[in-house]
Amino acid sequence: MRKKIIAGNWKMNMTPSKAVDLVNELKPLVVNDEVDVVFCVPAIDIIPVMEATKGTNIQVGAENMYFEDKGAYTGEISPEMLVDAGVKYVIIGHSERREYFAETDETVNKKILKAFEYGITPIICCGESLTQREQGITIDWIRQQIKIAFQNVTAEQAATAVIAYEPIWAIGTGKVATTEQAQEVCSAIRACIAEIYDEATAAAIRIQYGGSVSAASAPELFAQADIDGGLVGGASLKPDFGKIVNYNK
């Protein structure tokens, strides 16, 4: 049985000092041995958050990573830097990275391959716009994103990956895909992984739902057969994140 994974994506929020305060506030609220809990934080917060989470059930992730080992790439963060800091997860291909920073399916694939090379678990984002949903091409669009993302990724690597399905129209809008909509797409993602690899790999990979996840919506969403947790934005910066992590209690 797949263990649920609930990750907070802090986005561009929290100074280092505020990040430590937030961790200290959330630490007692996010204790749940049945769930992997990950805080994906801005690069400048990684070191202080790593210190603040020592001895807890919280794992620390990054929000982005470059696909080269080192070099003249001003402002970028290398996988070696993340590993040395103790980072276990990295968000790759978030819709905001694609929209505002011109990330493509191809650069997402490069980052995924590099993350695996360094033993970092990628949280691979995919999702459709409202226009794409209204045009009825959601599944086709998602399948394309997944197929390109996993090019040259081995089945063994893929089984350890995390995929986050985030309908773009539901991110930060307060709108949430219905349980049926979320399950339909997550099921299609798992079927796509089975086509690329095999049923065993598809059964192993963990698929999150993201997009205005709340304490109220989490229990029903996470009860679905193909939804293995959530990638949580704004709510991960509040005490309510504890209720999301403990959705099953």
Side-chain angles (χ1 to χ4, degrees), residues 21 40 42 48 56 77 102 139 153 155 168 244:
D21 290 342
C40 294
T56 74
I77 304 294
I139 302 299
V153 174
I168 297 168
I244 296 173

Side-chain angles (χ1 to χ4, degrees), residues 152-196:
N152 299 317
V153 174
T154 68
E156 183 180 18
Q157 290 171 331
T160 68
V162 178
I163 297 174
Y165 165 56
E166 293 196 306
I168 297 168
W169 48 271
I171 298 175
T173 63
K175 296 180 180 179
V176 183
T178 66
T179 304
E180 293 75 22
Q181 287 172 327
Q183 165 59 22
E184 177 190 24
V185 177
C186 290
S187 175
I189 291 170
R190 202 174 300 284
C192 186
I193 293 296
E195 287 178 25
I196 299 170

Side-chain angles (χ1 to χ4, degrees), residues 47-124:
I47 298 297
V49 168
M50 196 68 68
E51 287 295 316
T53 56
K54 279 184 177 177
T56 74
N57 64 312
I58 300 165
Q59 299 179 79
V60 180
E63 297 180 13
N64 185 36
M65 181 199 83
Y66 200 51
F67 51 74
E68 296 289 354
D69 301 291
K70 60 182 69 174
Y73 305 106
T74 301
E76 288 293 341
I77 304 294
S78 76
E80 185 178 17
M81 293 173 186
L82 296 182
V83 169
D84 192 65
V87 166
K88 302 297 184 186
Y89 293 86
V90 60
I91 298 172
I92 294 178
H94 192 279
S95 61
E96 291 158 2
R97 296 292 314 173
R98 296 174 190 256
E99 180 179 358
Y100 303 133
F101 303 103
E103 290 204 0
T104 65
D105 290 335
E106 287 73 21
T107 56
V108 166
N109 173 247
K110 288 182 179 181
K111 291 183 178 187
I112 291 166
L113 293 171
K114 188 58 70 172
F116 280 126
E117 184 181 325
Y118 278 82
I120 306 171
T121 300
I123 298 175
I124 303 159

